[in-house]
Amino acid sequence: MKRNNNRLTRGRKIESKKGALNVNTRLEDNARLDRRVRSRASLTVGNKAIYPGQGPCLICRVVAKTVGSGAMMFYQMSVLDESGGELFVPVDKARAIGVRLLMKKSEIPPLLTHLKKRTKAADNWKQRASDNLKLLTSGSPFDLAEVVASLTELSDTRTLTLGESGTLSKARRLLICEISEVMAETKMAAELKLDQALTARK
């Protein structure tokens, strides 16, 4: 009996390692795709950019603000979705925070192709929550696609937790907003593209 328990324990460890390897491989693929998006021109006034967790914004101007005993330069950004609002982002930290230019139209098809790939979320809900938080706040559209694809696939087999439902909803909203802005089309049309890609998962 003890031997059987040891075999089960080893089996679980092997499955866990395989799952971790699969996740790491997908994240490496995401990073390669994302480098193409981030490698373009620097942020300038008049650009539309993405702020992680907020979606498309317009860089309105660069302003100086006093911080402590010195002055710092900030991008003043207006959020472009219906929630509105303004953000002030330190110019020298914008890239590190994950602020980037909008995708190009030519980058939308690879993003939709990414959504068509089958993926698997971690079995442990705490690990899933940790993974999804990192992906959601990275600023990468491909990481958002990973969240949408994995949680959508998970929802096919079990009921999502309240937190997972909220995460899926937010990731979908951010992706739809960017696709809509890039393609100059309605959010309804962008959502249709996203749903068609998910339906075509292989």
Side-chain angles (χ1 to χ4, degrees):
M1 189 71 178
K2 191 173 182 180
R3 286 182 180 176
N4 288 338
N5 287 338
N6 287 339
R7 286 175 185 169
L8 284 171
T9 301
R10 284 197 297 271
R12 290 192 188 105
K13 286 181 179 177
I14 290 169
E15 286 178 6
S16 177
K17 286 180 181 177
K18 283 181 179 178
L21 287 171
N22 287 337
V23 170
N24 288 336
T25 300
R26 293 199 306 273
L27 294 183
E28 286 170 8
D29 289 342
N30 291 357
R32 279 195 292 272
L33 290 165
D34 191 51
R35 276 195 290 271
R36 300 176 191 173
V37 177
R38 294 181 188 271
S39 64
R40 298 202 304 275
S42 59
L43 304 168
T44 58
V45 174
N47 284 157
K48 289 180 180 178
I50 295 294
Y51 186 95
Q54 293 291 336
C57 301
L58 176 67
I59 302 176
C60 300
R61 57 180 180 152
V62 176
V63 298
K65 287 181 172 286
T66 302
V67 179
S69 59
M72 282 183 66
M73 305 304 291
F74 289 80
Y75 291 118
Q76 182 180 341
M77 304 174 70
S78 294
V79 181
L80 293 175
D81 71 12
E82 53 273 6
S83 65
E86 287 188 333
L87 302 169
F88 289 89
V89 183
V91 170
D92 60 351
K93 295 181 180 178
R95 290 288 185 182
I97 290 170
V99 177
R100 61 172 174 80
L101 295 176
L102 282 181
M103 300 180 77
K104 293 180 178 179
K105 283 187 178 181
S106 61
E107 291 165 334
I108 297 299
L111 178 67
L112 296 175
T113 298
H114 199 65
L115 282 166
K116 294 177 184 178
K117 295 177 182 177
R118 289 246 170 224
T119 184
K120 186 179 183 300
D123 290 329
N124 182 280
W125 71 268
K126 288 185 179 179
Q127 186 60 53
R128 284 200 304 273
S130 175
D131 291 343
N132 287 331
L133 179 61
K134 290 175 184 175
L135 294 170
L136 200 63
T137 57
S138 74
S140 163
F142 296 98
D143 284 351
L144 287 177
E146 182 75 20
V147 174
V148 171
S150 64
L151 288 181
T152 299
E153 189 152 331
L154 185 65
S155 71
D156 291 340
T157 57
R158 68 177 76 171
T159 302
L160 299 182
T161 67
L162 189 61
E164 287 169 339
S165 294
T167 297
L168 176 56
S169 178
K170 183 172 185 177
R172 280 179 59 92
R173 177 180 62 81
L174 292 171
L175 267 187
I176 289 167
C177 284
E178 181 162 10
I179 293 170
S180 170
E181 199 68 44
V182 171
M183 301 303 292
E185 62 187 15
T186 65
K187 288 184 175 62
M188 188 178 294
E191 185 172 19
L192 181 61
K193 281 187 172 68
L194 185 147
D195 287 334
Q196 286 174 337
L198 290 171
T199 302
R201 278 176 294 157
K202 298 176 181 178

